[in-house]
Amino acid sequence: MELHPATRLKHNHPGQALCERYLDRLPLAPAQRQRLLKQVAEQGALNSREAMTDLHIALASPDHPVDADNPALASVCSRLTISQNSLPTSVESLALTATPAQTCLPAGPTIKRHSMAPLNWPPKSSFRLFKSRRLRSNQSASAQGEHQENLDPSTSDGWQAAATVRRMVLLVLIIAQVYFSTSVMASVLPYHGHRLLEIAILILFAILSGWVSVGFWTAMMGFVLKLKGGDRYAISATTAADVPIGKLARTAVIMPICNENVARVFAGLRATYESLARSGELQHFDFFILSDSSSADNRVAEVHAWLALCGAVQGFGRMFYRWRQHRVKRKSGNVADFCRRWGASYRYMVVLDADSVMSGACLTSLVRLMEANPGAGIIQSAPQVAGRDTLYARMQQFASHVYGPIFVAGLHFWQLGESHYWGHNAILRVAPFMRHCALGRLSGRGPLSGEILSHDFVEAALMRRAGWTVWIAYDLPGSYEEVPPNLVDELKRDRRWCQGNLMNFRLFLANGVHPAHRAVFMTGVAAYVSAPLWFLFLLLSTAQLAVHALVVPEYFTHPFQLFPVWPEWDPQRAIALFSATAALLFLPKILSVMLIWIQGAKNFGGRLNLGLSMLMELVFSALLAPIRMLFHTGFVIAPLLGRGIQWKSPPRENAETSWGEALQRHGRHTLLGVVWAAGVFWLKPSYLFWLLPIVGALILSIPISVFSSRISLGQYLRKRNLFLIPEELSMPDELRDTQEHAAHAPAPPGFRDAVLNPATNAMICAVSAPRFRTLRVADSRMRMVRKALLEGPDKLDPSHKMHLLNDPVALSRLHFDVWASEDAHPAWRNYPLKPKVPSHASTRLPESIFSTEPGNTATVRA
């Protein structure tokens, strides 16, 4: 009896077994699988390579041209539609193009290019810290030219005059408080501030007192606002929740990412998307994932997650993905790249961080606020932190929820329409942002030059400089982010922020910057420079103690002095000054707790647990202060000495600190604490009592860092209702969905899957940008493919992998050669492929959506 052709080939040629193994990786129905194997058998292939060629021809559309050197390129579209059960079946919502030169699944809407370049960069310096009338009028005229409505409707309500009065009051309060505290400090010192060393101590004390005073009075005003129930100038009071959003108010929600935890990023984005869909206003929004990832595995995982997300929420045509090949200016450059390509299609854009989650109500409220305030350029929400389980993170979450609201309300009280912009969870008016907020490089060499790192403060200053207002919607709920899971990761983030703020201070004298934003630049620097000043103050105080203990006292300090001066410390005044300083630091926290007691402490575990949590947090923050002081001192000194940093994405998951890492990070500080304590004890044992909170924290820095990073301790205290936040007792739908989506996310594919797996390879080829078929590019491509084939994936450098992923011709060629060539490196053959999805999950697209017309370009309806 004559055998079936497929059976005959199976017995006579290894190509049949190879084709079967290949098809095992695709979710084909049994009948489809047998039909393909029969077609291959009927061609009578003589070897494995010919059999694989026949298989890809069988997989491809019948009228699709096939490149004999790279037949896998012809089957990309078919492999993609076979493997993806979520692709839309309507040609109106998706268009796949397949030509001999490219295969493309469109990941973005039609490009509408517009320029975005820095204006008058670098900004000229001016010692006129207050803008001239001419400059203000020019900015107002510029802003009015960009829209036909009033520059700022809230101006008639007098917010600018109110802001001036409030800031003058703040300045008077700070000066009075600094004068009083410095006078008391002078009376405490042995020579009452008449010696050179004491003068230096008093100068540092005055500066530090001013910084403490700023935070204290900001919190006090925020407490008053929260107690009253709001501010008459609050931006959130300018519109109602039920005001319809206009059809022209199209908003892009953009999320720049770079080598992030892909499962967490896309889980948060999906929760935000679904919340917006439930609000009924989804038609006004598009979502963009803007990737700067340099890791090949991350790139593959991102494309896979994007395609899966689009299928899960039916987001094709509304959820887009772009990978940027040239990572210029980091996040600010990524946002600018979006604006140049698609910004002209949108009136607003909401910028998210990789850990951001926002409710649909919050997003729609931001759009309504922008519509109600046509002079507003940026409206910043006040994101709440949640989602971590380590002890350190839970204490930071608790502090943010309890103390944060009055500080943010206080910032609003002083700043009003000249507020902060924190770079995420905020809405921006696209047209003025593109025109006025493009950033150039800072001139010079060294870490404090080049690309601006902390771009958000500068963009807010440029927006206000152009006549547009910047607001904080401090009372708008539904905006969330995460905190670093442990002290070490927080300090890594602080180092980046420190260098960014030091760079920004170079723009302090930039011509036309509003005084309020000059103050923002100054406070950004002061947040870190205060650490080395505090450290120097402590060192000088220790030196003063040594002088007092070792040097013979001088009783006559002035010529012709009639009566001696008895140099001695005044312990009573010292205790009073210490108590007053502690009150300035801790009173805002106490008042925050009292405010919650008044309004209801049930969501924080009850009044008793809230008060106990506050006391524990006070002790912990006091222990952390000296540790942060030494680290921040190093962060400030490093760029001044020419040592820069590498800007890496922070961790997006719970992470514990090992003893080895803690020893490496805190070992020198522990040794310094021991030596410092021993020296003070030798000089004057009684003085060690005053210094013990500093040196004791340094000595214990290693166990503090380790134990505070423990997840088990955080969960233990949660069970006892300590450090509770409302989101832990009654979790919002967005945060719950984020956790569930992240927990159920499958293991993502990586670079090897993109080369070996038929489905993953088709997916990456379908979204990659095709390269031109010049002779030079073709030769380079062949060398790249040959190197990868022979040497295996472990010998490829990251840039080589990224080039392959970005070239569908090269990637499909490597895919074919790895399967068909006997020269393939063993690392390719021995790699276990991901199991295929069940065949019943596949939904094949109609053949009519594949276009083979030369020069056809991919389009998608936005």
Side-chain angles (χ1 to χ4, degrees):
M1 186 178 79
E2 184 177 357
L3 295 176
H4 188 276
T7 306
R8 183 170 60 249
L9 186 57
K10 181 176 180 180
H11 286 282
N12 298 333
H13 202 283
Q16 180 71 17
L18 182 63
C19 292
E20 290 181 351
R21 289 200 303 271
Y22 189 90
L23 293 178
D24 285 342
R25 315 322 306 168
L26 291 171
L28 290 164
Q32 291 178 297
R33 188 175 184 274
Q34 290 300 323
R35 179 177 59 82
L36 290 170
L37 290 175
K38 179 179 178 181
Q39 287 182 259
V40 173
E42 290 173 348
Q43 298 300 318
L46 299 178
N47 52 47
S48 298
R49 190 175 187 86
E50 291 183 358
M52 287 298 296
T53 299
D54 294 337
L55 177 60
H56 284 288
I57 294 174
L59 281 169
S61 177
D63 56 350
H64 197 294
V66 178
D67 186 346
D69 293 329
N70 187 12
L73 183 62
S75 66
V76 165
C77 289
S78 297
R79 285 185 279 137
L80 179 68
T81 53
I82 289 172
S83 61
Q84 296 293 331
N85 67 318
S86 58
L87 291 177
T89 56
S90 172
V91 72
E92 293 183 353
S93 59
L94 176 68
L96 290 169
T97 68
T99 70
Q102 69 180 59
T103 303
C104 182
L105 172 66
T110 303
I111 294 176
K112 187 177 180 181
R113 292 194 180 274
H114 196 281
S115 64
M116 181 178 177
L119 298 176
N120 302 320
W121 195 273
K124 295 181 179 179
S125 298
S126 172
F127 289 95
R128 179 175 296 190
L129 300 183
F130 298 92
K131 296 186 293 183
S132 67
R133 181 178 300 176
R134 176 180 298 179
L135 182 57
R136 287 198 300 269
S137 63
N138 288 344
Q139 291 173 350
S140 298
S142 173
Q144 287 175 345
E146 291 168 11
H147 55 75
Q148 300 300 319
E149 302 171 69
N150 184 23
L151 173 63
D152 194 347
S154 58
T155 302
S156 59
D157 295 334
W159 73 262
Q160 291 178 320
T164 301
V165 172
R166 293 177 178 185
R167 293 163 191 168
M168 292 301 297
V169 172
L170 174 64
L171 186 60
V172 170
L173 290 173
I174 292 173
I175 292 175
Q177 191 168 3
V178 170
Y179 175 80
F180 175 77
S181 59
T182 306
S183 300
V184 176
M185 182 64 184
S187 66
V188 170
L189 296 174
Y191 293 97
H192 309 305
H194 295 296
R195 303 294 292 270
L196 184 62
L197 183 58
E198 292 184 354
I199 292 174
I201 291 175
L202 288 176
I203 292 174
L204 291 174
F205 183 82
I207 297 173
L208 294 172
S209 296
W211 178 240
V212 172
S213 182
V214 170
F216 173 77
W217 289 113
T218 297
M220 289 301 98
M221 292 303 101
F223 172 76
V224 172
L225 283 187
K226 300 293 286 186
L227 193 62
K228 286 173 51 181
D231 187 350
R232 59 173 295 190
Y233 300 110
I235 188 70
S236 56
T238 59
T239 187
D242 56 351
V243 174
I245 299 176
K247 294 182 179 180
L248 299 180
R250 299 194 63 214
T251 303
V253 181
I254 66 173
M255 177 180 279
I257 59 175
C258 180
N259 299 324
E260 301 284 354
N261 182 324
V262 175
R264 167 60 185 83
V265 167
F266 281 83
L269 195 62
R270 177 177 176 179
T272 301
Y273 186 98
E274 291 174 336
S275 177
L276 186 60
R278 291 193 296 269
S279 73
E281 302 289 354
L282 183 61
Q283 68 273 16
H284 302 293
F285 295 83
D286 288 337
F287 285 72
F288 290 81
I289 302 104
L290 309 175
S291 174
D292 266 351
S293 296
S294 59
S295 165
D297 289 335
N298 267 80
R299 170 89 194 284
V300 175
E302 288 167 4
V303 175
H304 177 267
W306 166 72
L307 207 55
L309 175 57
C310 288
V313 300
Q314 297 301 307
F316 289 101
R318 195 172 299 279
M319 180 78 69
F320 305 109
Y321 171 85
R322 165 164 166 74
W323 176 76
R324 197 166 60 126
Q325 185 173 1
H326 302 290
R327 188 188 176 194
V328 181
K329 299 181 182 178
R330 299 179 175 86
K331 180 179 177 180
S332 64
N334 204 352
V335 174
D337 177 77
F338 161 80
C339 290
R340 294 188 188 97
R341 287 173 169 264
W342 299 295
S345 301
Y346 299 93
R347 180 178 290 182
Y348 310 116
M349 66 177 178
V350 175
V351 183
L352 303 181
D353 250 1
D355 59 354
S356 297
V357 177
M358 297 186 74
S359 68
C362 183
L363 288 171
T364 55
S365 295
L366 288 173
V367 174
R368 291 186 175 97
L369 289 175
M370 275 292 195
E371 290 285 274
N373 297 273
I378 301 175
I379 299 179
Q380 171 71 62
S381 71
Q384 291 286 3
V385 294
R388 294 284 196 224
D389 293 318
T390 65
L391 174 60
Y392 181 87
R394 293 199 64 244
M395 284 189 285
Q396 300 306 305
Q397 291 172 175
F398 173 82
S400 174
H401 278 74
V402 177
Y403 320 137
I406 69 168
F407 280 97
V408 177
L411 283 177
H412 164 81
F413 182 84
W414 304 121
Q415 295 176 337
L416 293 181
E418 287 119 8
S419 290
H420 278 76
Y421 166 50
W422 295 313
H424 59 92
N425 292 44
I427 189 168
L428 296 86
R429 197 176 296 270
V430 177
F433 180 83
M434 293 175 62
R435 182 172 181 180
H436 302 290
C437 297
L439 303 179
R441 296 172 57 89
L442 294 178
S443 60
R445 297 181 179 180
L448 298 183
S449 61
E451 298 173 355
I452 292 177
L453 300 181
S454 295
H455 57 92
D456 37 21
F457 286 6
V458 180
E459 290 164 347
L462 294 177
M463 184 71 81
R464 185 59 185 136
R465 181 189 184 197
W468 299 84
T469 55
V470 181
W471 293 87
I472 294 179
Y474 69 94
D475 52 354
L476 185 65
S479 178
Y480 308 100
E481 62 175 341
E482 294 175 346
V483 292
N486 54 64
L487 176 60
V488 171
D489 287 322
E490 182 194 80
L491 292 170
K492 292 177 182 178
R493 182 195 66 179
D494 281 353
R495 185 176 183 183
R496 300 192 303 269
W497 286 2
C498 176
Q499 183 168 327
N501 286 342
L502 291 176
M503 292 178 66
N504 289 350
F505 195 68
R506 293 184 57 184
L507 301 174
F508 178 77
L509 296 176
N511 187 30
V513 173
H514 195 280
H517 286 285
R518 296 189 199 274
V520 169
F521 290 155
M522 182 178 294
T523 55
V525 171
Y528 294 98
V529 173
S530 59
L533 294 181
W534 183 26
F535 185 45
L536 182 58
F537 172 79
L538 293 173
L539 292 180
L540 292 181
S541 300
T542 305
Q544 177 67 31
L545 172 67
V547 170
H548 184 69
L550 302 177
V551 178
V552 177
E554 184 178 354
Y555 300 101
F556 295 90
T557 59
H558 301 288
F560 309 107
Q561 183 177 331
L562 296 178
F563 301 99
V565 175
W566 300 98
E568 60 179 352
W569 300 90
D570 190 335
Q572 293 183 347
R573 293 198 175 189
I575 293 174
L577 182 61
F578 176 81
S579 301
T581 304
L584 293 178
L585 294 173
F586 298 138
L587 183 59
K589 297 186 177 184
I590 296 173
L591 291 178
S592 298
V593 171
M594 293 178 61
L595 183 64
I596 295 176
W597 282 351
I598 295 173
Q599 298 174 346
K602 181 179 180 181
N603 289 334
F604 292 88
R607 292 186 176 184
L608 180 61
N609 288 326
L610 175 61
L612 184 58
S613 298
M614 180 200 67
L615 293 177
M616 295 173 65
E617 194 279 332
L618 288 180
V619 174
F620 186 74
S621 61
L623 292 173
L624 286 181
I627 300 173
R628 289 178 173 143
M629 174 192 69
L630 288 187
F631 275 101
H632 289 181
T633 299
F635 298 162
V636 172
I637 295 175
L640 300 179
L641 298 179
R643 296 199 297 267
I645 61 168
Q646 289 185 346
W647 196 281
K648 296 182 180 180
S649 299
R652 306 295 182 187
E653 63 280 339
N654 291 313
E656 297 184 345
T657 302
S658 66
W659 286 98
E661 185 177 12
L663 179 62
Q664 180 184 2
R665 299 285 181 178
H666 304 282
R668 289 175 296 177
H669 298 166
T670 301
L671 181 61
L672 174 62
V674 172
V675 174
W676 199 348
V680 170
F681 183 81
W682 175 74
L683 288 171
K684 191 174 183 178
S686 61
Y687 187 74
L688 184 59
F689 171 79
W690 296 94
L691 200 62
L692 189 60
I694 307 297
V695 296
L698 296 179
I699 293 172
L700 296 175
S701 59
I702 293 177
I704 288 174
S705 183
V706 170
F707 287 117
S708 66
S709 71
R710 293 293 183 252
I711 299 174
S712 58
L713 289 178
Q715 295 175 340
Y716 174 82
L717 292 178
R718 178 190 292 176
K719 292 178 182 178
R720 279 147 184 81
N721 292 333
L722 295 174
F723 300 118
L724 276 180
I725 59 176
E727 287 76 9
E728 290 177 330
L729 287 178
S730 180
M731 186 174 293
D733 293 339
E734 294 78 18
L735 296 183
R736 182 184 298 106
D737 292 344
T738 298
Q739 291 186 0
E740 291 180 356
H741 295 329
H744 293 91
F751 172 74
R752 297 193 187 194
D753 296 288
V755 174
L756 282 163
N757 193 295
T760 309
N761 176 264
M763 175 187 69
I764 299 300
C765 289
V767 298
S768 300
R771 304 178 67 185
F772 296 104
R773 278 179 164 256
T774 64
L775 182 60
R776 182 170 58 86
V777 170
D779 291 342
S780 174
R781 174 186 294 142
M782 287 306 301
R783 290 194 300 269
M784 183 167 53
V785 171
R786 191 66 179 171
K787 174 182 173 65
L789 178 69
L790 298 179
E791 298 182 5
D794 297 331
K795 296 296 183 180
L796 301 178
D797 57 62
S799 62
H800 195 163
K801 293 179 180 179
M802 297 304 287
H803 278 299
L804 284 170
L805 293 178
N806 202 40
D807 188 339
V809 177
L811 187 62
S812 57
R813 177 64 180 266
L814 179 61
H815 171 71
F816 179 82
D817 288 346
V818 164
W819 275 92
S821 175
E822 296 180 355
D823 298 330
H825 192 275
W828 294 119
R829 300 195 188 98
N830 298 332
Y831 180 68
L833 294 175
K834 298 287 189 297
K836 66 180 180 179
V837 296
S839 59
H840 61 78
S842 175
T843 302
R844 186 172 178 84
L845 288 175
E847 298 293 339
S848 60
I849 75 166
F850 299 108
S851 171
T852 58
E853 297 179 7
N856 186 28
T857 57
T859 59
V860 62
R861 178 167 298 179

